[in-house]
Amino acid sequence: MTLDLTVNSDSKTEETVSVCNSYTWNGTTYTNSGTYTFVSTNAAGCRNTATLFLDIKRAPQLGAISGPLRVCRNKTFVYSVAPVANATSYTWTLPYGASGTSTSNTIHVTFNGCFSSGIIRVRANNECGAGTPVQICVNVFTSVPSVPGSVTGLSTICTPGNYTYSVAPVSGATSYSWTVSGTGLSIVAGQGTYSVVVAVSST
């Protein structure tokens, strides 16, 4: 008796792919990164297991723009967005009366004497394209804030400690600048707001 014997083996294949948005593999479209397998029969009639290591890239998406909502004419203000790890550049679009250039996540914008209001937009870019733009609406101040009212708080201090002083909020004000004079006084909290905490020392 003569036996002509051929023993065939199972096979395995691996593939690594990095693409934008989606990838079709063995008749299935994938939109998320991951490891995928597909089982078929090889040429010898045995089991073939194919493995796909898939990296799906997408256009970068941004968070909100940081910067003042009210500005003064003929002055420069800074606007920015949090940087996105997979962004290669940023495209800023400015309204009429505003100027500035940048391809980073921060831009210095100068508003000329004709600016009244408008929208600042930015989108992030990478090899997959441009993400959805985010925007901020900016209006102009036409006058300086009015004079604050009287400061409220203790005018006579008997013991060292922290004491609070404040004014009524002023319409149109974006910040408040407090100062102290004399010996033993210091601002310890609230600078920039309409209420501050002043430390009074024993001196």
PDB file of all heavy atoms in Angstrom, residues 154-180:
ATOM      1  N   LEU A 154     -15.814  98.296  56.331  1.00  0.00           N
ATOM      2  CA  LEU A 154     -15.474  98.992  57.569  1.00  0.00           C
ATOM      3  C   LEU A 154     -14.457 100.091  57.307  1.00  0.00           C
ATOM      4  O   LEU A 154     -13.452  99.884  56.632  1.00  0.00           O
ATOM      5  CB  LEU A 154     -14.915  98.003  58.588  1.00  0.00           C
ATOM      6  CG  LEU A 154     -15.901  96.953  59.119  1.00  0.00           C
ATOM      7  CD1 LEU A 154     -15.186  95.986  60.059  1.00  0.00           C
ATOM      8  CD2 LEU A 154     -17.058  97.632  59.834  1.00  0.00           C
ATOM      9  N   SER A 155     -14.709 101.274  57.865  1.00  0.00           N
ATOM     10  CA  SER A 155     -13.750 102.379  57.759  1.00  0.00           C
ATOM     11  C   SER A 155     -12.864 102.466  58.986  1.00  0.00           C
ATOM     12  O   SER A 155     -11.830 103.140  58.964  1.00  0.00           O
ATOM     13  CB  SER A 155     -14.483 103.698  57.552  1.00  0.00           C
ATOM     14  OG  SER A 155     -15.365 103.948  58.625  1.00  0.00           O
ATOM     15  N   THR A 156     -13.245 101.802  60.051  1.00  0.00           N
ATOM     16  CA  THR A 156     -12.435 101.769  61.264  1.00  0.00           C
ATOM     17  C   THR A 156     -12.173 100.316  61.636  1.00  0.00           C
ATOM     18  O   THR A 156     -13.110  99.522  61.793  1.00  0.00           O
ATOM     19  CB  THR A 156     -13.144 102.465  62.439  1.00  0.00           C
ATOM     20  OG1 THR A 156     -13.415 103.817  62.083  1.00  0.00           O
ATOM     21  CG2 THR A 156     -12.279 102.426  63.690  1.00  0.00           C
ATOM     22  N   ILE A 157     -10.895  99.956  61.773  1.00  0.00           N
ATOM     23  CA  ILE A 157     -10.501  98.585  62.086  1.00  0.00           C
ATOM     24  C   ILE A 157      -9.869  98.557  63.468  1.00  0.00           C
ATOM     25  O   ILE A 157      -8.953  99.345  63.762  1.00  0.00           O
ATOM     26  CB  ILE A 157      -9.499  98.049  61.040  1.00  0.00           C
ATOM     27  CG1 ILE A 157     -10.106  98.115  59.652  1.00  0.00           C
ATOM     28  CG2 ILE A 157      -9.086  96.629  61.387  1.00  0.00           C
ATOM     29  CD1 ILE A 157     -11.343  97.288  59.473  1.00  0.00           C
ATOM     30  N   CYS A 158     -10.344  97.656  64.316  1.00  0.00           N
ATOM     31  CA  CYS A 158      -9.808  97.563  65.668  1.00  0.00           C
ATOM     32  C   CYS A 158      -8.815  96.424  65.838  1.00  0.00           C
ATOM     33  O   CYS A 158      -7.923  96.499  66.692  1.00  0.00           O
ATOM     34  CB  CYS A 158     -10.957  97.377  66.670  1.00  0.00           C
ATOM     35  SG  CYS A 158     -12.093  98.782  66.729  1.00  0.00           S
ATOM     36  N   THR A 159      -8.952  95.368  65.051  1.00  0.00           N
ATOM     37  CA  THR A 159      -8.075  94.207  65.202  1.00  0.00           C
ATOM     38  C   THR A 159      -7.572  93.759  63.839  1.00  0.00           C
ATOM     39  O   THR A 159      -8.241  93.938  62.814  1.00  0.00           O
ATOM     40  CB  THR A 159      -8.818  93.036  65.861  1.00  0.00           C
ATOM     41  OG1 THR A 159      -9.955  92.703  65.061  1.00  0.00           O
ATOM     42  CG2 THR A 159      -9.276  93.408  67.262  1.00  0.00           C
ATOM     43  N   PRO A 160      -6.369  93.181  63.772  1.00  0.00           N
ATOM     44  CA  PRO A 160      -5.860  92.651  62.511  1.00  0.00           C
ATOM     45  C   PRO A 160      -6.787  91.561  61.976  1.00  0.00           C
ATOM     46  O   PRO A 160      -7.510  90.901  62.724  1.00  0.00           O
ATOM     47  CB  PRO A 160      -4.480  92.092  62.883  1.00  0.00           C
ATOM     48  CG  PRO A 160      -4.124  92.764  64.166  1.00  0.00           C
ATOM     49  CD  PRO A 160      -5.430  92.989  64.883  1.00  0.00           C
ATOM     50  N   GLY A 161      -6.782  91.377  60.664  1.00  0.00           N
ATOM     51  CA  GLY A 161      -7.610  90.332  60.052  1.00  0.00           C
ATOM     52  C   GLY A 161      -7.870  90.644  58.594  1.00  0.00           C
ATOM     53  O   GLY A 161      -7.275  91.556  58.017  1.00  0.00           O
ATOM     54  N   ASN A 162      -8.765  89.879  58.004  1.00  0.00           N
ATOM     55  CA  ASN A 162      -9.159  90.079  56.614  1.00  0.00           C
ATOM     56  C   ASN A 162     -10.539  90.725  56.558  1.00  0.00           C
ATOM     57  O   ASN A 162     -11.469  90.270  57.235  1.00  0.00           O
ATOM     58  CB  ASN A 162      -9.178  88.750  55.861  1.00  0.00           C
ATOM     59  CG  ASN A 162      -7.792  88.173  55.665  1.00  0.00           C
ATOM     60  OD1 ASN A 162      -6.794  88.895  55.709  1.00  0.00           O
ATOM     61  ND2 ASN A 162      -7.706  86.876  55.445  1.00  0.00           N
ATOM     62  N   TYR A 163     -10.668  91.740  55.733  1.00  0.00           N
ATOM     63  CA  TYR A 163     -11.914  92.482  55.652  1.00  0.00           C
ATOM     64  C   TYR A 163     -12.302  92.674  54.181  1.00  0.00           C
ATOM     65  O   TYR A 163     -11.445  92.875  53.317  1.00  0.00           O
ATOM     66  CB  TYR A 163     -11.765  93.842  56.344  1.00  0.00           C
ATOM     67  CG  TYR A 163     -11.463  93.718  57.819  1.00  0.00           C
ATOM     68  CD1 TYR A 163     -10.138  93.579  58.257  1.00  0.00           C
ATOM     69  CD2 TYR A 163     -12.479  93.703  58.759  1.00  0.00           C
ATOM     70  CE1 TYR A 163      -9.849  93.437  59.607  1.00  0.00           C
ATOM     71  CE2 TYR A 163     -12.201  93.572  60.122  1.00  0.00           C
ATOM     72  CZ  TYR A 163     -10.878  93.433  60.538  1.00  0.00           C
ATOM     73  OH  TYR A 163     -10.606  93.290  61.873  1.00  0.00           O
ATOM     74  N   THR A 164     -13.605  92.627  53.915  1.00  0.00           N
ATOM     75  CA  THR A 164     -14.106  92.703  52.547  1.00  0.00           C
ATOM     76  C   THR A 164     -14.604  94.110  52.229  1.00  0.00           C
ATOM     77  O   THR A 164     -15.309  94.727  53.034  1.00  0.00           O
ATOM     78  CB  THR A 164     -15.254  91.694  52.329  1.00  0.00           C
ATOM     79  OG1 THR A 164     -14.760  90.379  52.549  1.00  0.00           O
ATOM     80  CG2 THR A 164     -15.803  91.785  50.908  1.00  0.00           C
ATOM     81  N   TYR A 165     -14.218  94.586  51.034  1.00  0.00           N
ATOM     82  CA  TYR A 165     -14.661  95.884  50.544  1.00  0.00           C
ATOM     83  C   TYR A 165     -15.186  95.697  49.121  1.00  0.00           C
ATOM     84  O   TYR A 165     -14.665  94.887  48.352  1.00  0.00           O
ATOM     85  CB  TYR A 165     -13.523  96.903  50.574  1.00  0.00           C
ATOM     86  CG  TYR A 165     -13.076  97.216  51.980  1.00  0.00           C
ATOM     87  CD1 TYR A 165     -12.120  96.420  52.613  1.00  0.00           C
ATOM     88  CD2 TYR A 165     -13.629  98.280  52.685  1.00  0.00           C
ATOM     89  CE1 TYR A 165     -11.721  96.680  53.918  1.00  0.00           C
ATOM     90  CE2 TYR A 165     -13.245  98.557  53.990  1.00  0.00           C
ATOM     91  CZ  TYR A 165     -12.287  97.752  54.600  1.00  0.00           C
ATOM     92  OH  TYR A 165     -11.921  98.007  55.885  1.00  0.00           O
ATOM     93  N   SER A 166     -16.228  96.451  48.763  1.00  0.00           N
ATOM     94  CA  SER A 166     -16.839  96.251  47.449  1.00  0.00           C
ATOM     95  C   SER A 166     -17.503  97.530  46.966  1.00  0.00           C
ATOM     96  O   SER A 166     -17.725  98.474  47.727  1.00  0.00           O
ATOM     97  CB  SER A 166     -17.866  95.119  47.502  1.00  0.00           C
ATOM     98  OG  SER A 166     -18.927  95.447  48.391  1.00  0.00           O
ATOM     99  N   VAL A 167     -17.790  97.516  45.659  1.00  0.00           N
ATOM    100  CA  VAL A 167     -18.605  98.562  45.042  1.00  0.00           C
ATOM    101  C   VAL A 167     -19.725  97.873  44.277  1.00  0.00           C
ATOM    102  O   VAL A 167     -19.645  96.681  43.969  1.00  0.00           O
ATOM    103  CB  VAL A 167     -17.777  99.437  44.071  1.00  0.00           C
ATOM    104  CG1 VAL A 167     -16.739 100.238  44.825  1.00  0.00           C
ATOM    105  CG2 VAL A 167     -17.138  98.586  42.990  1.00  0.00           C
ATOM    106  N   ALA A 168     -20.764  98.605  43.978  1.00  0.00           N
ATOM    107  CA  ALA A 168     -21.826  98.055  43.137  1.00  0.00           C
ATOM    108  C   ALA A 168     -21.268  97.824  41.732  1.00  0.00           C
ATOM    109  O   ALA A 168     -20.469  98.612  41.229  1.00  0.00           O
ATOM    110  CB  ALA A 168     -23.009  99.014  43.088  1.00  0.00           C
ATOM    111  N   PRO A 169     -21.652  96.719  41.082  1.00  0.00           N
ATOM    112  CA  PRO A 169     -21.167  96.462  39.716  1.00  0.00           C
ATOM    113  C   PRO A 169     -21.452  97.646  38.793  1.00  0.00           C
ATOM    114  O   PRO A 169     -22.525  98.242  38.841  1.00  0.00           O
ATOM    115  CB  PRO A 169     -21.951  95.219  39.306  1.00  0.00           C
ATOM    116  CG  PRO A 169     -22.311  94.539  40.589  1.00  0.00           C
ATOM    117  CD  PRO A 169     -22.539  95.648  41.572  1.00  0.00           C
ATOM    118  N   VAL A 170     -20.470  97.978  37.974  1.00  0.00           N
ATOM    119  CA  VAL A 170     -20.577  99.107  37.058  1.00  0.00           C
ATOM    120  C   VAL A 170     -20.936  98.594  35.674  1.00  0.00           C
ATOM    121  O   VAL A 170     -20.286  97.684  35.144  1.00  0.00           O
ATOM    122  CB  VAL A 170     -19.258  99.890  37.008  1.00  0.00           C
ATOM    123  CG1 VAL A 170     -19.342 101.024  35.994  1.00  0.00           C
ATOM    124  CG2 VAL A 170     -18.906 100.418  38.391  1.00  0.00           C
ATOM    125  N   SER A 171     -21.949  99.170  35.065  1.00  0.00           N
ATOM    126  CA  SER A 171     -22.373  98.751  33.732  1.00  0.00           C
ATOM    127  C   SER A 171     -21.252  98.973  32.719  1.00  0.00           C
ATOM    128  O   SER A 171     -20.649 100.046  32.667  1.00  0.00           O
ATOM    129  CB  SER A 171     -23.618  99.543  33.310  1.00  0.00           C
ATOM    130  OG  SER A 171     -23.989  99.223  31.981  1.00  0.00           O
ATOM    131  N   GLY A 172     -20.955  97.941  31.941  1.00  0.00           N
ATOM    132  CA  GLY A 172     -19.929  98.045  30.915  1.00  0.00           C
ATOM    133  C   GLY A 172     -18.527  97.767  31.385  1.00  0.00           C
ATOM    134  O   GLY A 172     -17.603  97.723  30.574  1.00  0.00           O
ATOM    135  N   ALA A 173     -18.327  97.577  32.682  1.00  0.00           N
ATOM    136  CA  ALA A 173     -16.981  97.307  33.193  1.00  0.00           C
ATOM    137  C   ALA A 173     -16.629  95.837  32.999  1.00  0.00           C
ATOM    138  O   ALA A 173     -17.460  94.951  33.234  1.00  0.00           O
ATOM    139  CB  ALA A 173     -16.895  97.673  34.665  1.00  0.00           C
ATOM    140  N   THR A 174     -15.397  95.586  32.565  1.00  0.00           N
ATOM    141  CA  THR A 174     -14.921  94.205  32.418  1.00  0.00           C
ATOM    142  C   THR A 174     -13.981  93.796  33.532  1.00  0.00           C
ATOM    143  O   THR A 174     -13.728  92.604  33.730  1.00  0.00           O
ATOM    144  CB  THR A 174     -14.216  94.033  31.071  1.00  0.00           C
ATOM    145  OG1 THR A 174     -13.123  94.951  30.994  1.00  0.00           O
ATOM    146  CG2 THR A 174     -15.179  94.282  29.916  1.00  0.00           C
ATOM    147  N   SER A 175     -13.419  94.755  34.234  1.00  0.00           N
ATOM    148  CA  SER A 175     -12.565  94.446  35.380  1.00  0.00           C
ATOM    149  C   SER A 175     -12.480  95.683  36.272  1.00  0.00           C
ATOM    150  O   SER A 175     -12.881  96.791  35.877  1.00  0.00           O
ATOM    151  CB  SER A 175     -11.160  94.026  34.929  1.00  0.00           C
ATOM    152  OG  SER A 175     -10.503  95.104  34.285  1.00  0.00           O
ATOM    153  N   TYR A 176     -11.952  95.479  37.464  1.00  0.00           N
ATOM    154  CA  TYR A 176     -11.837  96.544  38.454  1.00  0.00           C
ATOM    155  C   TYR A 176     -10.421  96.533  39.011  1.00  0.00           C
ATOM    156  O   TYR A 176      -9.873  95.468  39.305  1.00  0.00           O
ATOM    157  CB  TYR A 176     -12.841  96.337  39.593  1.00  0.00           C
ATOM    158  CG  TYR A 176     -14.291  96.337  39.139  1.00  0.00           C
ATOM    159  CD1 TYR A 176     -14.833  95.218  38.506  1.00  0.00           C
ATOM    160  CD2 TYR A 176     -15.113  97.440  39.346  1.00  0.00           C
ATOM    161  CE1 TYR A 176     -16.158  95.206  38.087  1.00  0.00           C
ATOM    162  CE2 TYR A 176     -16.434  97.441  38.928  1.00  0.00           C
ATOM    163  CZ  TYR A 176     -16.948  96.314  38.302  1.00  0.00           C
ATOM    164  OH  TYR A 176     -18.267  96.300  37.877  1.00  0.00           O
ATOM    165  N   SER A 177      -9.819  97.705  39.129  1.00  0.00           N
ATOM    166  CA  SER A 177      -8.454  97.825  39.626  1.00  0.00           C
ATOM    167  C   SER A 177      -8.468  98.494  40.991  1.00  0.00           C
ATOM    168  O   SER A 177      -8.824  99.677  41.113  1.00  0.00           O
ATOM    169  CB  SER A 177      -7.600  98.634  38.636  1.00  0.00           C
ATOM    170  OG  SER A 177      -6.289  98.783  39.123  1.00  0.00           O
ATOM    171  N   TRP A 178      -8.083  97.726  42.005  1.00  0.00           N
ATOM    172  CA  TRP A 178      -8.089  98.216  43.388  1.00  0.00           C
ATOM    173  C   TRP A 178      -6.660  98.561  43.827  1.00  0.00           C
ATOM    174  O   TRP A 178      -5.697  97.898  43.446  1.00  0.00           O
ATOM    175  CB  TRP A 178      -8.643  97.148  44.326  1.00  0.00           C
ATOM    176  CG  TRP A 178     -10.105  96.836  44.148  1.00  0.00           C
ATOM    177  CD1 TRP A 178     -10.653  96.022  43.200  1.00  0.00           C
ATOM    178  CD2 TRP A 178     -11.177  97.315  44.931  1.00  0.00           C
ATOM    179  NE1 TRP A 178     -12.010  95.961  43.344  1.00  0.00           N
ATOM    180  CE2 TRP A 178     -12.377  96.750  44.411  1.00  0.00           C
ATOM    181  CE3 TRP A 178     -11.275  98.171  46.039  1.00  0.00           C
ATOM    182  CZ2 TRP A 178     -13.630  97.015  44.949  1.00  0.00           C
ATOM    183  CZ3 TRP A 178     -12.522  98.440  46.578  1.00  0.00           C
ATOM    184  CH2 TRP A 178     -13.692  97.861  46.032  1.00  0.00           C
ATOM    185  N   THR A 179      -6.540  99.584  44.640  1.00  0.00           N
ATOM    186  CA  THR A 179      -5.262  99.929  45.255  1.00  0.00           C
ATOM    187  C   THR A 179      -5.490 100.240  46.730  1.00  0.00           C
ATOM    188  O   THR A 179      -6.593 100.620  47.136  1.00  0.00           O
ATOM    189  CB  THR A 179      -4.607 101.152  44.581  1.00  0.00           C
ATOM    190  OG1 THR A 179      -5.491 102.278  44.702  1.00  0.00           O
ATOM    191  CG2 THR A 179      -4.324 100.873  43.107  1.00  0.00           C
ATOM    192  N   VAL A 180      -4.439 100.071  47.521  1.00  0.00           N
ATOM    193  CA  VAL A 180      -4.474 100.450  48.934  1.00  0.00           C
ATOM    194  C   VAL A 180      -3.282 101.342  49.209  1.00  0.00           C
ATOM    195  O   VAL A 180      -2.273 101.311  48.496  1.00  0.00           O
ATOM    196  CB  VAL A 180      -4.433  99.216  49.870  1.00  0.00           C
ATOM    197  CG1 VAL A 180      -5.693  98.387  49.718  1.00  0.00           C
ATOM    198  CG2 VAL A 180      -3.203  98.364  49.590  1.00  0.00           C
TER     199      VAL A 180
END
